[in-house]
Amino acid sequence: MTAPVLLSQIRGHGPLPKHIAIIMDGNGRWARERMLPRPMGHRQGMKAVREVVEGAIEAGVEVLSLFAFSQENWQRPATEIGALMSLLEEYIQREADELEAQGVRVQMLGDLDRLAPQARAAVDRVMAQTAKNSTLVLNLFISYGSRAEIVRAARRIAEEVAAGTLRPNQVDEAAISSRLFTAGGPDPDLLIRTSGERRISNFLLWQLAYTELHISPVLWPDFTRANLCEAILDYQTRDRRFGRVSV
Ligand code: FPP
């Protein structure tokens, strides 16, 4: 079915996920199937990013979180890391004005200090340029690992307790949430992973506690707004109980 038809189905079908997170997987396999170098898969994957941003806006999603580069990805060959960093800069250069016009607020989350100075400058620029927008929050996770994020929060809490600015009995779930990169935002309602893999891969471990999972067989570069709509329709069939019983 086409995206407009699916979009109209979503409207009558149930509550929308406010926040969708995506593990964009399968770029390498997409390239291999075509006997292309892996960076070509990432380049095609960048087009799918544009597609889901537009689809998310059309559907009325408020927050879209995309896992673009994990801490573990730093262990890939230098040529692939270089290609991914160049793509990030290219994405920002090409899309910043369009994102701004669409009302998208871009947030880059992760250990940004590890980025090369040029990539870091581009990241800072697009975040500043779009900071006042509110149609869609686009969280791009770069150099991100969820365990490291939780360790960082724990260390901050320990420092505050040691300094006497936080009491041990004030350390609760809210105290941890507010020290994560995602502080202040809603937890994801729906996590999509593409390429048929069924893992969380160190993405948003704390924030995904009650998130619904949708595994798509589609390789990320082929993922379209129609696939996004299918995932939302699947989400709308779920009975979310958050550990309680149905009413
Ligand atoms: C996983 O596929 C994907 C990545 C490690 C990178 C994701 C990057 C993009 C979608 C493009 C760049 C995006 C922006 C916003 C600039 P994989 O390489 O692990 O695929 P495989 O499992 O098939 O090998």
Side-chain angles (χ1 to χ4, degrees):
M1 250 183 282
T2 62
V5 174
L6 290 165
L7 269 175
S8 66
Q9 285 188 3
I10 285 170
R11 301 226 161 88
H13 206 237
L16 257 187
K18 255 191 193 177
H19 181 177
I20 299 182
I22 308 185
I23 301 178
M24 309 183 286
D25 197 9
N27 294 353
R29 276 162 283 168
W30 185 94
R32 197 173 59 224
E33 281 175 5
R34 289 160 182 78
M35 296 207 284
L36 294 168
R38 290 176 60 84
M40 292 302 286
H42 297 315
R43 174 164 291 282
Q44 199 64 27
M46 188 169 75
K47 294 187 183 157
V49 169
R50 187 176 315 145
E51 173 84 7
V52 291
V53 167
E54 287 173 7
I57 294 171
E58 283 168 5
V61 170
E62 293 172 25
V63 184
L64 180 65
S65 289
L66 303 179
F67 201 5
F69 191 85
S70 71
Q71 281 201 329
E72 293 73 24
N73 289 154
W74 288 113
Q75 289 157 34
R76 292 194 176 195
T79 47
E80 185 168 342
I81 295 173
L84 277 164
M85 289 298 137
S86 307
L87 266 186
L88 176 64
E89 282 178 55
E90 187 182 325
Y91 175 76
I92 294 171
Q93 207 142 35
R94 275 204 198 178
E95 304 284 324
D97 289 345
E98 180 65 20
L99 291 166
E100 165 73 350
Q102 290 168 320
V104 177
R105 175 177 178 193
V106 182
Q107 302 194 124
M108 304 271 181
L109 309 181
D111 183 4
L112 303 181
D113 290 342
R114 285 188 77 175
L115 298 181
Q118 215 172 317
R120 179 62 199 260
V123 160
D124 289 342
R125 208 168 48 240
V126 72
M127 287 200 286
Q129 183 182 347
T130 62
K132 292 200 172 65
N133 294 341
S134 57
T135 304
L136 174 76
V137 174
L138 173 62
N139 291 328
L140 281 176
F141 288 80
I142 312 275
S143 186
Y144 172 83
S146 181
R147 286 185 173 182
E149 177 190 36
I150 294 169
V151 167
R152 177 176 167 271
R155 191 170 296 145
R156 288 190 172 182
I157 287 172
E159 283 164 1
E160 289 171 47
V161 170
T165 53
L166 189 71
R167 289 193 308 275
N169 66 3
Q170 290 174 310
V171 180
D172 55 11
E173 292 188 11
I176 294 176
S177 292
S178 67
R179 287 163 181 82
L180 300 175
F181 291 121
T182 49
D187 287 341
D189 300 295
L190 170 64
L191 172 75
I192 301 170
R193 181 162 188 153
T194 60
S195 87
E197 302 289 353
R198 303 174 198 190
R199 287 186 294 278
I200 303 293
S201 297
N202 202 15
F203 188 44
L204 298 175
L205 299 177
W206 175 273
Q207 299 87 337
L208 292 176
Y210 286 103
T211 301
E212 297 294 328
L213 308 183
H214 175 88
I215 307 296
S216 167
V218 177
L219 300 180
W220 176 253
D222 291 329
F223 198 81
T224 62
R225 67 188 80 193
N227 297 130
L228 181 72
C229 291
E230 283 160 6
I232 295 174
L233 282 167
D234 178 29
Y235 167 84
Q236 289 176 319
T237 65
R238 309 288 177 89
D239 176 22
R240 300 190 77 194
R241 293 189 297 278
F242 300 93
R244 299 186 292 261
V245 291
S246 298
V247 283

